[in-house]
Amino acid sequence: MKTKSTVFLKIVNIILPIIIAAGTAVLFLQNYFYNTSERTCSLSDAQRDGTAFVFDDITVDIGTRGGDSGAWVGDVLTDDEGNIVYENAVGTIYELTVVNNTSDTVSDWQAVIYIPEDMYINNSWNGNLEYHQGVRSGNEKVQTLDLADYSRYDITLDHYTTPFGAMVPLYEGDYFVYYPDIDMKEMPISPKPDGDDKESSVRIGFIMYIVDRELDYTADFSVGELRYHLHASVLKSPLFWVLGALAVIWISCLLSLIIVKTNLKRFIEQQKRDEKTIEQTMQTFVNFIEAKDPSTMGHSLRVAQYSKMISEKLGFSEEECSRIYHIALMHDCGKIYIPDNILSKPGKLTDEEYEIMKKHTIYGKDILRDFTAIESMGTGALSHHERYDGKGYPNGISGEDIPLIARIICVSDAFDAMNSRRCYRSNLSGDVIINELKNNRGKQFDPNIVDCLLSIIESGAISMTGSNIANT
């Protein structure tokens, strides 16, 4: 038995998992492609604010440290043979600052800085620098070094060794790539704090010497790029929370369906127990009736079965067929009030006896008047002897005015009476029964119901031997 709520919950529990699965796939695919896409910001394309290069995701600032410690005049630089390389050079500390402007994490970043003019790099700190020396000359040399600890390297780049570290010449067009130091927490760069003016940034430094410049001279590192990934948590996606809400709804519907099914199962089991109790009670009462008239043993059960078969043939629901079965089972209950000598009389009844016999329909209705567990329980008992032409009893109603269930029982009752042995005669032959049914279409019987019964008989579902049903 399916209720509308059960059907709705089943549909929801089919559709929602599909939506959630599809949405989850889309969410994680979007997140995967977002997190794995390499992004590149070219400094030449940025909106510039002094030494800062501003992008939507990040800001890159390349400027001098400033103050007394930010620049100085360097000593004379000589080569290994004592030749003077330069005499007048300004040493300056430059700082590269990378600011995360987003609510996501900046990961796997690296900075590429092009050298705007000839200069010497003497030191850098934290991460490693990959130097590309002599790019324009066509004799490019590449090496990754940490000049803060240059002594552990076999330096292949052109360089000069000084008491204060290696001095590597870089020429206009050369460049270096900065790889951040994870141990120094330069990568990843945390998201920008919500509601806080504080920056989430990384600051690194390197020392450059430029020949023949004033002490306050600043090189313009305006050519370069920053390569990076943004890593976003799926928790920040609105789709995640929509899917979470749908998941909660789905789980609620699933639990509701389980509860509904459990309760429905209990209801059906209880209903089956109730039906069994009702049927056993009815059968016990039928046994009382048949004990008064042994010649009709099994008659009520067969009439109930025939009525159910006709109802199924007419297309009634399973529930309605069951109701008709139980009403038909009790159609003759009023006979319990009919004297035994009339019920079991082997000959024809007198007019007086027949009038008494006809009252079993009214007695039956009175007996069943308080039986409310099944709707219209007394209808079959009262009206199953009404005729389609209006010549029946007890009320002489006709046609469609006779309740449908009574018209079904009327045909079933007459058929079983002809197909069974009675105290006053043996059962009739199959041909006689068929002819009686056909001849009384529209007279005693509803034509449509007679046709249903004839169709059932022709299919072999009902045996014409008097007591057996082939397929029920």
Side-chain angles (χ1 to χ4, degrees):
M1 183 175 64
K2 294 183 179 179
T3 63
K4 290 183 178 179
S5 60
T6 304
V7 173
F8 172 76
L9 289 172
K10 283 185 175 180
I11 292 173
V12 169
N13 278 290
I14 291 172
I15 293 176
L16 276 186
I18 295 173
I19 294 174
I20 292 170
T24 302
V26 170
L27 174 65
F28 279 94
L29 281 174
Q30 284 180 341
N31 189 257
Y32 171 79
F33 287 120
Y34 182 85
N35 291 345
T36 57
S37 297
E38 184 177 71
R39 302 158 195 271
T40 301
C41 292
S42 175
L43 300 185
S44 59
D45 296 334
Q47 178 181 348
R48 192 162 180 176
D49 182 9
T51 58
F53 302 86
V54 182
F55 302 91
D56 291 337
D57 296 337
I58 59 172
T59 296
V60 180
D61 193 315
I62 308 176
T64 60
R65 175 185 286 181
D68 295 338
S69 64
W72 61 93
V73 177
D75 296 331
V76 175
L77 178 63
T78 59
D79 60 18
D80 293 340
E81 297 176 356
N83 299 316
I84 295 175
V85 177
Y86 65 74
E87 291 183 295
N88 182 26
V90 173
T92 306
I93 297 176
Y94 289 88
E95 291 185 330
L96 169 65
T97 305
V98 180
V99 181
N100 183 0
N101 298 328
T102 73
S103 59
D104 301 325
T105 299
V106 174
S107 64
D108 302 323
W109 71 272
Q110 60 189 51
V112 181
I113 304 299
Y114 284 85
I115 305 303
E117 57 185 295
D118 295 351
M119 60 183 65
Y120 299 83
I121 186 166
N122 169 244
N123 200 351
S124 64
W125 40 91
N126 296 348
N128 290 330
L129 266 66
E130 178 186 284
Y131 298 94
H132 292 253
Q133 185 185 65
V135 174
R136 291 186 177 179
S137 68
N139 188 26
E140 182 178 358
K141 295 181 180 180
V142 180
Q143 189 174 12
T144 301
L145 299 172
D146 178 4
L147 289 179
D149 189 18
Y150 74 95
S151 60
R152 66 188 176 92
Y153 295 95
D154 180 14
I155 302 178
T156 60
L157 299 172
D158 295 339
H159 69 285
Y160 302 97
T161 303
T162 71
F164 47 87
M167 193 77 72
V168 177
L170 295 174
Y171 309 102
E172 183 180 354
D174 290 350
Y175 64 94
F176 62 80
V177 182
Y178 182 81
Y179 296 102
D181 189 333
I182 296 176
D183 293 335
M184 296 297 293
K185 298 182 179 180
E186 293 180 334
M187 186 173 70
I189 306 175
S190 301
K192 179 181 180 181
D194 291 333
D196 195 340
D197 294 334
K198 184 180 178 181
E199 292 181 345
S200 179
S201 61
V202 170
R203 189 184 303 272
I204 61 176
F206 51 94
I207 298 175
M208 290 293 191
Y209 285 84
I210 305 176
V211 179
D212 297 329
R213 294 288 186 267
E214 299 295 330
L215 190 63
D216 60 352
Y217 177 77
T218 301
D220 184 16
F221 293 96
S222 60
V223 179
E225 61 186 26
L226 193 80
R227 301 167 188 163
Y228 62 98
H229 292 81
L230 286 178
H231 187 277
S233 170
V234 293
L235 298 178
K236 293 183 178 180
S237 172
L239 180 58
F240 174 84
W241 297 105
V242 171
L243 292 173
L246 290 177
V248 171
I249 295 172
W250 172 45
I251 292 171
S252 300
C253 289
L254 188 61
L255 292 175
S256 298
L257 182 60
I258 292 172
I259 293 171
V260 168
K261 279 193 169 184
T262 301
N263 291 337
L264 188 60
K265 183 179 179 182
R266 290 175 183 169
F267 172 77
I268 291 173
E269 289 174 351
Q270 183 61 48
Q271 188 179 45
K272 287 180 179 179
R273 288 194 293 270
D274 292 343
E275 287 178 355
K276 187 174 182 180
T277 300
I278 291 171
E279 187 165 349
Q280 289 176 346
T281 302
M282 289 181 176
Q283 187 58 52
T284 300
F285 195 74
V286 168
N287 292 340
F288 280 121
I289 299 168
E290 292 181 346
K292 287 177 62 68
D293 185 9
S295 66
T296 60
M297 187 68 66
H299 168 72
S300 294
L301 178 60
R302 291 192 297 273
V303 170
Q305 290 173 323
Y306 298 152
S307 297
K308 183 178 180 181
M309 294 172 74
I310 292 171
S311 302
E312 291 171 343
K313 187 74 174 178
L314 290 172
F316 291 172
S317 66
E318 182 179 350
E319 184 178 356
E320 183 65 10
C321 289
S322 176
R323 187 176 77 92
I324 292 173
Y325 170 86
H326 288 111
I327 292 174
L329 188 65
M330 299 298 291
H331 77 284
D332 268 346
C333 67
K335 286 185 177 180
I336 198 168
Y337 284 112
I338 305 302
D340 293 347
N341 64 313
I342 295 178
L343 284 177
S344 58
K345 183 177 180 178
K348 184 178 179 181
L349 299 178
T350 65
D351 291 343
E352 183 181 354
E353 290 170 336
Y354 184 56
E355 289 301 319
I356 294 173
M357 175 63 79
K358 288 195 296 183
K359 290 182 180 179
H360 80 277
T361 57
I362 298 173
Y363 294 149
K365 184 178 186 330
D366 290 340
I367 290 172
L368 298 172
R369 67 178 180 274
D370 295 325
F371 201 117
T372 58
I374 297 176
E375 184 183 356
S376 304
M377 189 65 186
T379 301
L382 177 66
S383 303
H384 70 280
H385 280 296
E386 299 288 358
R387 289 172 55 100
Y388 201 74
D389 58 11
K391 297 179 180 179
Y393 63 87
N395 297 316
I397 54 179
S398 63
E400 303 294 322
D401 291 336
I402 304 171
L404 178 58
I405 191 168
R407 284 178 268 152
I408 292 173
I409 296 172
C410 174
V411 174
S412 301
D413 183 44
F415 170 74
D416 188 69
M418 292 186 286
N419 199 36
S420 305
R421 187 180 65 82
R422 292 299 172 92
C423 59
Y424 51 87
R425 61 157 175 80
S426 61
N427 57 294
L428 305 180
S429 67
D431 290 340
V432 171
I433 294 172
I434 297 298
N435 287 333
E436 284 294 317
L437 290 172
K438 290 180 178 180
N439 291 336
N440 281 282
R441 288 177 78 259
K443 297 177 182 177
Q444 182 177 353
F445 309 126
D446 182 326
N448 187 40
I449 295 173
V450 169
D451 292 341
C452 282
L453 179 60
L454 291 173
S455 176
I456 294 170
I457 293 171
E458 288 173 6
S459 71
I462 296 178
S463 171
M464 296 293 287
T465 59
S467 62
N468 297 320
I469 298 176
N471 298 302
T472 58

